[in-house]
Amino acid sequence: KVPGQVNTSTSGDIYISDPLNHVIFKANPSAKADPIVFAGKMGQRGISDGDRTQTALFGGPIGVAIDNRAQGGVYIADTLNNTIRKIGFNNQVNTALGNGTFGTMTSDITPFSQVVFRNPQGVAIAANGILYIADTNNHAIYAADFVKEEVRLIAGSPGQIGKADGKGRQALFSRPVSISVNPAKSSFFASATNDVVILVADTGNNVIRSVSLNGEVKTIGKIARTSANSRKFSPTLQAADEFTFDSPQSVSLDNLGNIYVLDKSGVKVITNSPTQTTRQMVSLAQANTFSQASSVVVQGTDVFVLDNGVTTEDDSLKMVSVGAPQINNLSQESDRLEGGSEIIVKGKNFAPESVIVLGDKVVTSTQIISATELRFRVPAQVAPGNRTLSIQTRGGVTQRVFNFPAKPLSEIRDSEITTIAGGVPFLGDSGQATSAAMHPIGVAVDSSGNIFVVDSTNHRIRRIDTTGVITTVAGSGTAGFSGDGALALSASLNTPEAIALDKAGNLFIADSLNSRIRLVDANTGIITSVAGNGKYAFSGDGALATDASLNQPSGLAIDNKGNIFIADTENHRVRFVEASTGNISTLVGDGVAAFSGDGDLATKARLSNPKGLALDSSDNLLF
């Protein structure tokens, strides 16, 4: 029972700060063991480095951030000591930033040796190792670069309290106490300037603020979107629509862009559903679930809440888990091609961010009635048949058949056409894979053992989970090109021939007859093109891969750095897309269909319709 903060590591360990007893606890729910003192000494306030349990002392530690890299560790906002401390994986504690002096930094860039704080409470770390700090009583947000050994002012006017949106020092805060880094990747090669990097609980102003890559600070509100199908987080809003809270103490962000805010009234979720043009705010759990919550953090599909008001310490850390949605019943299972009927879906685990895709259309009229009921109006379809109805949340996806019969001959008017036989088939999604219909020509396996299948002539990518249940993850079943920037479930593919997965679980597709390489983001389910402009040709070496021409690519491989290798089949080449720049080049082949070149430079060799690619453990390429 502590009033501190909580955070989780990728291995499942949970770290809890206890500012009253000046210690950091560690727990692992899977081990079913009581939390242990991980660093510091119970009830002893001080400031000393060294062994984390033998000599290290803290003073009112609050913020916790975890750097999961090999050289990383656990960063602590040691609030009363005006420092940032690091607990290394070697069990040693050192003072990373600050000398214990209560002070204010006046420069935009400050070397590590001159860093001072005023009771910092919030810390968060990005995947690249940049540490963000909420310097609470200086009302400012900083970023620490451990390579350059400098701290840079990101936003706020140090020492000045207020409320104002704007860039850098133009923005004003009032006692920011918690900070969270956006874990989602909005684009593959680079981020747009308005992509949100961090979220800040601006406690004194009772709002949540976003800070973008271009330094722009915005107050979070009912945000208008540029596209109803996009999950991209844009901080644009009208000030009158801002969400207000009762002294927000903690903020966290999941991989889909939903924002979790803890204030005196409990835990709220600001939703990020792509089917809604504005954000909504709902409660995380039913009333009275939490007695006196003090911190919230999201890890995958689990939300951890530190609750101080419980009677026993065993109940102080609560987990709210989002299960996969399930469809039990539909009010009707078919509609006219024109659509328009209201469908009532009964089931379970429907969430505020639930997304419905029917055929090749993202439903924009969804009403989430409760966790067990939602409603939507059927969007018009272009082809009859048994289309796939998908409901997706961050807990998973469920799918079911929905029929669109062709218009009968008795209703056909002059110049109209109808289908009298055939139609889009339903292929057994959400059932056992052994009963599904498919035309598989390629597979890939992720780190959890799920199998991804290229269902080529059905123009889909399918996923078989470890229980044997199959679902579609990309492709509506209609051959064509559409859907970039929207959910992959509603996109059109055209005879995909190969797939590959990177270390983060992102799915790459050789969309052969579209002459493109497409990417499905593992966090958001959004599909984009990362190579190819759709023309059957050869061009573009030395420039962005999205501007280049491919010719029916049918092989893919991804190395440990995220670089893409493409079998550009009808161009008789293997091409290479560099992850850091997005530029494409020819790696093997001169474009002439033949066999030659062994023992010479690969670019002088001749290939004939290369297809399969593979990389060994040293990233040597085989084809």
Side-chain angles (χ1 to χ4, degrees), residues 189 530 540-548 563-564 575-585:
F189 295 117
V530 295
D541 274 2
L544 285 175
T546 48
D547 295 331
N563 300 309
I564 310 172
R575 302 178 78 179
F576 173 81
V577 180
E578 186 176 29
S580 61
T581 64
N583 288 342
I584 192 169
S585 59

Side-chain angles (χ1 to χ4, degrees), residues 490-515:
S490 65
S492 292
L493 309 176
N494 196 345
T495 319
E497 295 206 358
I499 52 175
L501 294 159
D502 68 10
K503 293 189 297 184
N506 298 305
L507 175 67
F508 294 80
I509 305 168
D511 194 1
S512 185
L513 295 190
N514 281 322
S515 289

Side-chain angles (χ1 to χ4, degrees), residues 165-181:
D165 290 345
K167 283 189 177 182
R169 289 178 179 267
Q170 296 174 350
L172 296 177
F173 297 85
S174 177
R175 299 197 71 254
V177 301
S178 177
I179 196 167
S180 181
V181 175

Side-chain angles (χ1 to χ4, degrees), residues 288-304:
N288 302 320
T289 300
F290 310 112
S291 300
Q292 188 181 339
S294 67
S295 179
V296 61
V297 67
V298 182
Q299 179 71 36
T301 60
D302 297 325
V303 182
F304 294 92

Side-chain angles (χ1 to χ4, degrees), residues 95-109:
T95 300
L97 296 167
N99 57 18
T101 302
F102 187 76
T104 301
M105 293 180 282
T106 58
S107 300
D108 287 348
I109 299 176

Side-chain angles (χ1 to χ4, degrees), residues 243-315:
F243 292 116
T244 58
F245 301 88
D246 186 1
S247 187
Q249 297 294 316
S250 184
V251 62
S252 190
L253 188 69
D254 70 20
N255 289 331
L256 296 183
N258 300 304
I259 304 170
Y260 299 75
V261 182
L262 184 150
D263 68 1
K264 289 182 178 179
S265 66
V267 182
K268 302 291 194 301
V269 184
I270 302 174
T271 64
N272 189 37
S273 171
T275 63
Q276 300 166 349
T277 56
T278 59
R279 288 180 176 269
Q280 299 178 358
M281 186 164 65
V282 298
S283 294
L284 173 66
Q286 296 177 346
N288 302 320
T289 300
F290 310 112
S291 300
Q292 188 181 339
S294 67
S295 179
V296 61
V297 67
V298 182
Q299 179 71 36
T301 60
D302 297 325
V303 182
F304 294 92
V305 179
L306 192 60
D307 192 354
N308 296 325
V310 295
T311 56
T312 66
E313 290 191 356
D314 290 342
D315 297 326

Side-chain angles (χ1 to χ4, degrees), residues 354-369:
S354 296
V355 179
I356 301 177
V357 178
L358 182 51
D360 57 359
K361 300 291 179 62
V362 177
V363 176
T364 58
S365 58
T366 305
Q367 291 181 285
I368 312 300
I369 306 301

Side-chain angles (χ1 to χ4, degrees), residues 292-346:
Q292 188 181 339
S294 67
S295 179
V296 61
V297 67
V298 182
Q299 179 71 36
T301 60
D302 297 325
V303 182
F304 294 92
V305 179
L306 192 60
D307 192 354
N308 296 325
V310 295
T311 56
T312 66
E313 290 191 356
D314 290 342
D315 297 326
S316 61
L317 186 64
K318 295 180 177 178
M319 183 178 73
V320 179
S321 186
V322 179
Q326 178 178 310
I327 299 173
N328 293 335
N329 178 263
L330 301 176
S331 58
Q332 64 185 66
E333 298 183 346
S334 66
D335 198 12
R336 303 169 301 166
L337 280 173
E338 295 84 355
S341 296
E342 183 183 59
I343 307 299
I344 301 173
V345 185
K346 296 294 184 71

